[in-house]
Amino acid sequence: MTEILAIDDDREILAVIKKALLREGYQVTTLEDPLQLEEDKLGRYQLILLDVMMPGIDGFDLCRRIREKVDCPILFLTAKTEEKDVMTGLGAGGDDYITKPFGIGELRARVAAHIRRENREKTHTICIGEVRFSMQERKIYVQEHELVFTKAEYTICEFLALNHGQVFSKERILEHVFGFDGDSNSSAITEHVKNIRAKFQKFGINPIETVWGIGYRWK
């Protein structure tokens, strides 16, 4: 059974989240105090919902702290919708964000989209230049060195690589990779691409090309 962890200091929001996701068949654990998080048990969860504004430690700092311990999707719950805040969250290792107040339908759809992507079977390997994709492991290697990506970063790379040479707008990438219409969130793709490029840079590779005024493609 898919296990989800939701961390928010608002008890009512946690109750809404738990009720909505239990109806979808997920097992949901809720936590009001982020400082009480048992980090040694994080590996049991397939997805984490993380509030941004919390006492003791904010969601961005907590995400940075736990990201090396988990590779599951981390979705921020936030009322902070300015672009700089979104960029901070994605730069901290988050995969997506849900803006408060959110509807139950949106919550279920976004969670389901990320869980589907996690469960999608990959059974082969592709190589483009020096970059090798292990589709089953959902990992990327350069010169047999593994590069560590967040789930969102990996999925963007895979999507562009499988369609290499084709140019996709940020909106198309958002729609095809994450499975929902996200025009208002398309700036998040820019930050993900920036992070991806930084990780390839130490190998002297920049596989994602910007086609100005249109979007991105895998070279």
Side-chain angles (χ1 to χ4, degrees):
M1 177 180 291
T2 299
E3 295 192 46
I4 294 173
L5 173 64
I7 306 175
D8 196 308
D9 62 315
D10 189 322
R11 184 176 300 178
E12 293 184 2
I13 289 179
L14 287 178
V16 169
I17 291 172
K18 187 167 187 175
K19 182 178 180 180
L21 297 182
L22 283 175
R23 288 184 175 179
E24 297 299 303
Y26 303 122
Q27 183 171 327
V28 183
T29 299
T30 59
L31 183 65
E32 290 181 50
D33 184 356
L35 297 179
Q36 297 299 315
L37 177 63
E38 297 181 83
E39 295 185 22
D40 60 328
K41 297 182 179 179
L42 285 171
R44 64 189 290 184
Y45 301 110
Q46 283 74 57
L47 184 141
I48 297 173
L49 294 166
L50 184 57
D51 185 31
V52 172
M53 301 296 292
M54 296 184 292
I57 183 172
D58 69 27
F60 296 152
D61 287 337
L62 183 56
C63 182
R64 292 187 188 97
R65 195 169 86 188
I66 68 175
R67 176 40 90 187
E68 292 186 358
K69 300 179 181 180
V70 297
D71 62 359
C72 70
I74 297 177
L75 281 61
F76 287 111
L77 304 171
T78 178
K80 303 176 72 174
T81 57
E82 293 185 11
E83 183 174 336
K84 63 181 180 64
D85 297 313
V86 175
M87 300 303 101
T88 298
L90 298 177
D95 295 280
D96 195 8
Y97 71 98
I98 302 175
T99 303
K100 292 181 178 180
F102 52 82
I104 297 302
E106 179 187 10
L107 173 69
R108 289 172 174 166
R110 295 209 180 198
V111 167
H114 284 276
I115 294 297
R116 279 197 305 271
R117 193 171 70 248
E118 289 297 291
N119 293 336
R120 192 182 304 146
E121 288 189 1
K122 303 293 183 180
T123 59
H124 61 288
T125 296
I126 62 170
C127 295
I128 303 176
E130 298 180 79
V131 182
R132 177 169 64 86
F133 286 78
S134 175
M135 310 292 277
Q136 186 172 19
E137 297 178 297
R138 293 181 62 83
K139 293 182 178 179
I140 299 174
Y141 299 86
V142 176
Q143 301 167 5
E144 297 309 311
H145 295 282
E146 180 187 347
L147 279 66
V148 179
F149 293 99
T150 68
K151 294 297 182 182
E153 291 166 1
Y154 172 85
T155 308
I156 290 170
C157 288
E158 181 188 276
F159 175 69
L160 292 177
L162 288 173
N163 298 279
H164 62 279
Q166 298 184 50
V167 181
F168 295 94
S169 67
K170 290 185 287 187
E171 292 76 16
R172 284 285 303 279
I173 295 171
L174 191 72
E175 178 183 354
H176 284 269
V177 173
F178 296 110
F180 50 81
D181 183 10
D183 289 350
S184 62
N185 301 337
S186 61
S187 60
I189 298 299
T190 302
E191 185 67 14
H192 281 312
V193 170
K194 176 183 175 182
N195 293 338
I196 291 166
R197 284 171 170 163
K199 294 174 181 180
F200 277 107
Q201 189 174 23
K202 65 180 181 179
F203 295 98
I205 297 173
N206 179 18
I208 298 180
E209 179 182 11
T210 299
V211 180
W212 295 106
I214 304 177
Y216 301 107
R217 67 182 171 193
W218 192 276
K219 293 190 292 186

